[in-house]
Amino acid sequence: MRMTSRVCVTVGAGSTLLAALLATPVSPAAAQGSLSMQGFGYPIGGQSARSQGSGSALAGIDPQTPLNPASIVLNGRLQAYGQYEPEFRTVTIGGNSTKTTTSRFPLFMVTGHQNKATVALSFSSLMDRTWINTYADTQSLGSERIASTVLTQSVGGIADARLAVAWTFTEYFHVGGAVHLYPGDNKVSVGRIFSDSVHAGNFDVTNAYTFAGSALSLGAVYVVAKAHLILSGDLRLGGQLAMRLGDSTKVGEGKIPFRAGMSASYDGISGSVFSVRIGTERWSDLRGLGSSSLGLKDAVDMAIGTEIAGPRISNTPVLFRAGYRTRGLPFTYGATAVTESSIGGGIGVPFIGGRTILDVGASRATRNVPGISEKSWLVSVGIGIRP
Amino acid sequence: MRGRPFLASRRSLLGLALLAGAALLGACRESLDSGGVCSASSPLCPGQGVEIRDTIINPVLAFDSTYDGFPGRGAEYFLPLVSRGDTLQTVVVVRYDSLSTFYLPALDTARSITYVDSARIRLMIDLARASIPDSVNIDIYDVDAGTADDTAAAPILARLKPQYRIGGGKYAKAQLIDSLYVSLKDSAVLAHVRDTLPVTKGRMRIAIRVTGKGPVAFRIGSVESSAAAYLWYRPSNDTSARALVIAPASAGPADRADVRRDLMDYMLVEKNTLPTLPGTMMLGGVPGRRVYLRFNLPKNITDSTTIIRATLRLTQARYPFGDPSDSVIIHPHIVLASQFITDNRRASTLIGVTGLVITDSLAVVPRDSGQRTLELYALVRQWAAQSASPNAPARAVVLTAANEGTFPRVAAFYSSSASAGLRPTMRITYIPKIGFGVP
């Protein structure tokens, strides 16, 4: 089981390695085995279980989703939140299917109030690039072609560490700002196993990459009380994002993608919220981080969803959620853009008089390009505690 | 009855928690392998992005040397009895330096031996890869020259004459099975038993020699293989007296127990006129030859890359002598001696067992020629791993022939002094350290 959101310490490469790297062109590794794991991996995006259950339509006003720094004011009191999110993925190509299970801990957050200020420290996953592929292949050694088993593996990703501060100007207007740091690591291994009879040495070589980047984000939440509307907007201004081999040799540099989004939520029906959200993410800002052949596609993210109060436990309502989301994924498959559509649902159950909330969300995501179908279940289980 | 909301009941909450727990536990077990949709033609897994390079190192040897005399005298597990007419003749020497001069009659006290009957030696024969004509003459010679410590070969070889013949016979091929008793002259054995001279008292030393119509080559057991040639004789004409069985033993030299053990039984080459091929490294034959190869590999490849293959390419030279149509099995051995041992003959004895690190071997026929290959990638990887060690083993390999020193078959390969097209080379396939893994 892995924790995708983590800061990793890596060991530096020696000068010999540096010289070798400078002298040799970088070549891509592209054995991901799924549409969502192209490029630098799957953009998890730090959606909380609540947001995931509503198709991410509530992301702009959800205090546990580290998207809009102004939304943290909606937490009420000090809260600690953690989330577990396994993904069950099925990829089908040419009649062949393969199923995988990936465990992730994509989000941790601590929030606190002081007068009109709210501060939140969160740690979420920007992208997860974790996959393993084992398959039979033929290797050419000189003029000889010999049977082998390929072992490829990528473990790691890029995390998003955010320190957000929000200010409540009035009961209806909140503004927030945040500083983001993007640490990350990615170990990529390539190996082959040959049969004993071919007299070739099995190999397994690993390159360990690290990432370091930064960004600023701004957001606002405005409540139009008379119209029962909650309007939110957020944007992220990306700084540099560097990729290094070990901790010394820079192999690529791009920018954290610019992101902007806005949402409108209606709470005119008692105990319920209906929300729509639209956002855009300029993934082409990553240009330069990877190889020149890496296909990048700016993406639009649209979602519609709802949260409806149900029966009460200790005077706190159980919340039911549903939503639909469609978005583009950042990395193309060849020249073809990959789109993800998902239908989600979830439930929020209060315990201990509302001091603890268990949010469970599930979404069925579909990613398709001609000839390849990928479907996955993303199950989010989040626990928030208010001391 | 007053109902409660479903989710407000403790039982329903417990059920929900159990369901969630089961789902979580199930998901804790990761299964990341999506290789089922990968293949050489799959667009999802188009390649690894790893560049594999290939280079030929020529010359690859810093030097090579051929050493003979292996295995050392008395270290043979099996002792070769070879006869190839004018070209090659071996003898096996066995010492019985602890002859019994007394025997114990039944229900009586010990008595001096004054009578010997049915004297013979038992040979344990190994017929693996033997060549035996229809019949074989086995002759036993008394080679005790009467000197105190006769470790030299010449006095022994000088006694391979008819007047010193003390036993033997002509044996059909069918008689040469796993063991064979060869008769000795009772009078000759009795003479040694009753010998009272200070130096030769109580000892008998024999040489075993084979001849035949056509090439003869087979092996007999030795002390090392616990199948030594035992001496057997009756010490009395009283049939109730037990026969005596005498194991090989050497009384000299007095100050060297290790040499005494070696001299219990050993092989001597009486004659070897098989030619050597200039400019070649020769393996096998009698006495056995082995080859020491010191490599000179570029460190930028061996120490900074991942070696997939390191193929030593040898060019075999035709050698139409010995048993030219039989095969020679060649084993490469890692050298355990450190680079600071400059006596390469000694270094060629400090080697790993067959199959340690290097699992490849060669089977060649002496009369053939052409390129032969040995895969050494595991060894080259090991050298790279040891490169930082201050006492790293020499980057060397020793080639030995299987059953070293027991068969006349010889394999010859062009040495590092040969022309560029014939001398040893190495083909290395490797992965350079590159920045793969960048999408």
Side-chain angles (χ1 to χ4, degrees), chain B residues 8 12 89 191 248 255 316 377 417:
Chain B
S12 59
Q89 182 71 53
D255 58 340
Q316 186 187 350
Y377 71 84
S417 62

Side-chain angles (χ1 to χ4, degrees), chain B residues 296-318:
Chain B
N296 184 17
L297 296 170
K299 288 197 170 187
N300 64 326
I301 292 179
T302 59
D303 296 4
S304 305
T305 68
T306 301
I307 304 286
I308 297 174
R309 270 186 175 167
T311 309
L312 176 62
R313 307 194 303 178
L314 303 168
T315 306
Q316 186 187 350
R318 176 178 159 81

Side-chain angles (χ1 to χ4, degrees), chain A residues 118-152:
Chain A
T118 306
V119 179
L121 180 64
S122 66
F123 206 67
S124 61
S125 180
L126 179 70
M127 279 185 282
D128 176 28
R129 191 185 182 208
T130 299
W131 43 259
I132 295 173
N133 285 314
T134 309
Y135 58 98
D137 190 22
T138 302
Q139 174 70 55
S140 295
L141 294 181
S143 58
E144 198 179 349
R145 289 171 58 78
I146 58 178
S148 67
T149 300
V150 176
L151 304 168
T152 58

Side-chain angles (χ1 to χ4, degrees), chain B residues 105-279:
Chain B
L107 304 173
D108 204 345
T109 55
R111 294 181 189 176
S112 295
I113 296 174
T114 58
Y115 173 88
V116 165
D117 185 19
S118 305
R120 53 195 171 177
I121 58 170
R122 188 195 62 183
L123 306 180
M124 301 300 289
I125 296 176
D126 175 24
L127 292 173
R129 297 167 67 85
S131 59
I132 299 172
D134 291 340
S135 63
V136 173
N137 293 315
I138 300 177
D139 297 304
I140 312 295
Y141 294 91
D142 183 342
V143 291
D144 192 342
T147 53
D149 280 327
D150 51 348
T151 55
I156 295 171
L157 298 177
R159 290 176 69 90
L160 300 175
K161 294 175 180 171
Q163 62 266 36
Y164 300 116
R165 185 179 183 277
I166 60 170
K170 184 174 185 177
Y171 300 90
K173 184 176 182 179
Q175 289 179 275
L176 298 178
I177 49 177
D178 54 352
S179 66
L180 177 71
Y181 285 95
V182 180
S183 299
L184 301 177
K185 288 179 183 174
D186 297 332
S187 57
V189 175
L190 180 61
H192 282 285
V193 169
R194 295 182 61 80
D195 189 348
T196 56
L197 292 174
V199 174
T200 57
K201 179 183 176 182
R203 81 181 196 190
M204 185 174 82
R205 296 174 177 181
I206 64 168
I208 307 165
R209 187 175 191 246
V210 297
T211 53
K213 287 185 177 176
V216 182
F218 64 89
R219 306 186 300 176
I220 62 172
S222 67
V223 170
E224 277 65 28
S225 56
S226 301
Y230 280 72
L231 172 65
W232 192 98
Y233 56 88
R234 289 190 176 281
S236 167
N237 57 2
D238 179 357
T239 55
S240 66
R242 282 190 162 188
L244 298 175
V245 180
I246 310 298
S250 177
D255 58 340
R256 291 288 304 273
D258 56 334
V259 178
R260 284 202 303 275
R261 179 178 174 81
D262 289 343
L263 292 176
M264 289 180 186
D265 55 4
Y266 58 96
M267 182 272 293
L268 282 180
V269 177
E270 181 186 354
K271 178 170 52 185
N272 187 350
T273 60
L274 293 171
T276 57
L277 295 183

Side-chain angles (χ1 to χ4, degrees), chain B residues 306-369:
Chain B
T306 301
I307 304 286
I308 297 174
R309 270 186 175 167
T311 309
L312 176 62
R313 307 194 303 178
L314 303 168
T315 306
Q316 186 187 350
R318 176 178 159 81
Y319 188 78
F321 308 104
D323 283 334
S325 59
D326 210 340
S327 59
V328 181
I329 309 296
I330 296 168
H331 295 295
H333 300 260
I334 64 167
V335 172
L336 303 175
S338 88
Q339 54 194 318
F340 303 113
I341 293 182
T342 54
D343 178 353
N344 291 323
R345 191 185 197 290
R346 178 162 170 72
S348 70
T349 65
L350 302 172
I351 59 176
V353 296
T354 301
L356 179 65
V357 181
I358 310 170
T359 56
D360 202 2
S361 61
L362 267 180
V364 298
V365 176
R367 69 180 176 189
D368 285 350
S369 60

